[in-house]
Amino acid sequence: MSDNKPVFTRPKIPAGKTEYVTTTQKQITPGQFFVGYETTWKSFQKEVPYKTPKKP
């Protein structure tokens, strides 16, 4: 019998998408315990150009 143990690797996870957030998995390094994730936020607010108020 051989004593070769299979190297555990993390499975590739699809990107998680919501209305304001997208989460993607970083590059997988074989044999590494921790896999990082990257979070990208979309803007919540709209920017409106400033208008001077009317003079009375």
Side-chain angles (χ1 to χ4, degrees):
M1 290 191 151
S2 66
D3 292 330
N4 295 340
K5 293 182 180 178
V7 177
F8 177 75
T9 58
R10 296 282 180 184
K12 181 69 177 162
I13 305 295
K17 295 180 183 178
T18 63
E19 188 176 355
Y20 296 108
V21 180
T22 302
T23 304
T24 54
Q25 185 178 13
K26 291 185 179 179
Q27 187 66 28
I28 299 172
T29 306
Q32 187 176 8
F33 177 72
F34 178 75
V35 178
Y37 293 90
E38 187 174 330
T39 304
T40 308
W41 290 87
K42 293 181 185 175
S43 180
F44 282 69
Q45 301 171 342
K46 294 179 182 178
E47 193 168 322
V48 179
Y50 178 75
K51 295 179 183 177
T52 55
K54 292 182 181 179
K55 292 184 179 180

